[in-house]
Amino acid sequence: MSALFISDLHIDESRPAVLAGLQRLTDGEAATVDAFYILGDLVEVWVGDDDNGPVATSIREALTAASRRCAVYVMHGNRDFLIGAQFAEQTGTTLIDDPSVVEVDGDRVLLAHGDAYCTGDIEYQRMRTLFRSPAWQTEVLSSSLEERRALAGSLRATSIAANQNKAANIMDVTPSSVRQAMDDAVVSLMVHGHTHRPAIHDLDGGRRRIVLGDWERCGWKLRLDKGDAELSCFPLTP
């Protein structure tokens, strides 16, 4: 079994090249793997499955095309936690929990968005708990689409301002949290995104942690195939 992993595309209307990069990936490489995993932050913000804007529509079309070629799995990140069952049904994709353990070529792999392991950022973890709570999400989704778009803009501005005053190290994962998560899951490989620090880390006991990159200057993808791990950066436009 071969699998493809991406995260942190942060697609929005101001970054058409990123959407184009996703469309190229789903048109091409999705046909060469058995499973395609999106580990959070597919978009800069998702305001609900009823979003009928051009970007949301294009994303649905791209993932629908991909799901006709291979199994497609979508995990929530800290930008797209309102993606729901309607989106999955429309696109033929499957929503998976954060974290999840999957098998690739007989090996257990722990998949996560990654933000849960940034435990040094106490304020962020408080907000994460709020945004992931069913009660908060139900209340937000009960408001109009325009109200949700306005809220998303406000939350994004607040997040940018808060991150400017944070030390870089607290926005990375805490090593002890990663070790504990891998121990609990009984895995030797973890794959996650969120931190925007792409790398393959060799850990104790022959274990590895692979961090996916954000789609800024290029698109980042990880391919696992027959025990080989290839983390690569590709041009967003031809």
Side-chain angles (χ1 to χ4, degrees):
M1 172 185 170
S2 56
L4 184 68
F5 304 84
I6 62 173
S7 71
D8 300 283
L9 285 72
H10 296 276
I11 297 171
D12 69 10
E13 64 278 357
S14 70
R15 307 174 71 213
V18 177
L19 178 57
L22 174 65
Q23 291 166 330
R24 288 175 54 224
L25 195 69
T26 55
D27 287 344
E29 194 153 356
T32 71
V33 295
D34 300 298
F36 178 28
Y37 294 90
I38 303 170
L39 301 186
D41 287 0
L42 170 64
V43 294
E44 182 64 9
V45 63
W46 188 260
V47 295
D49 292 352
D50 57 342
D51 188 351
N52 57 1
V55 171
T57 299
S58 295
I59 289 171
R60 289 189 189 92
E61 292 171 350
L63 294 191
T64 299
S67 68
R68 293 183 181 131
R69 297 176 170 90
C70 66
V72 180
Y73 301 93
V74 179
M75 177 181 288
H76 292 138
N78 55 297
R79 302 289 179 191
D80 50 12
F81 46 79
L82 291 180
I83 288 178
Q86 180 180 333
F87 175 88
E89 182 177 357
Q90 290 171 335
T91 57
T93 60
T94 300
L95 298 180
I96 59 174
D97 292 337
D98 177 13
S100 286
V101 175
V102 302
E103 282 200 9
V104 181
D105 287 332
D107 294 326
R108 289 167 54 84
V109 182
L110 178 61
L111 307 180
H113 179 57
D115 57 335
Y117 309 124
C118 300
T119 55
D121 192 342
I122 303 301
E123 182 56 34
Y124 175 84
Q125 293 301 327
R126 290 197 190 102
M127 297 305 296
R128 182 183 188 276
T129 299
L130 172 65
F131 295 156
R132 299 275 184 137
S133 69
W136 186 87
Q137 293 185 9
T138 298
E139 181 179 355
V140 169
L141 289 172
S142 68
S143 61
S144 70
L145 184 58
E146 288 307 314
E147 288 172 329
R148 278 177 269 145
R149 285 173 173 156
L151 174 63
S154 174
L155 291 174
R156 179 59 183 141
T158 300
S159 174
I160 292 172
N163 287 343
Q164 289 175 343
N165 297 318
K166 290 179 182 177
N169 65 306
I170 71 168
M171 291 189 286
D172 200 357
V173 298
T174 303
S176 60
S177 296
V178 167
R179 287 194 298 271
Q180 187 63 58
M182 296 182 74
D183 288 343
D184 292 344
V186 194
V187 298
S188 59
L189 175 61
M190 171 190 281
V191 179
H192 72 82
H194 180 66
T195 63
H196 300 188
R197 303 178 185 192
I200 298 179
H201 299 276
D202 292 321
L203 308 176
D204 60 291
R207 301 191 294 185
R208 288 185 299 174
R209 175 171 68 94
I210 302 179
V211 186
L212 303 168
D214 62 311
W215 290 32
E216 184 64 43
R217 62 181 181 85
C218 63
W220 283 93
K221 62 183 179 180
L222 167 68
R223 187 181 180 111
L224 297 181
D225 193 359
K226 298 177 181 178
D228 294 328
E230 180 186 0
L231 180 64
S232 60
C233 185
F234 64 93
L236 291 173
T237 55

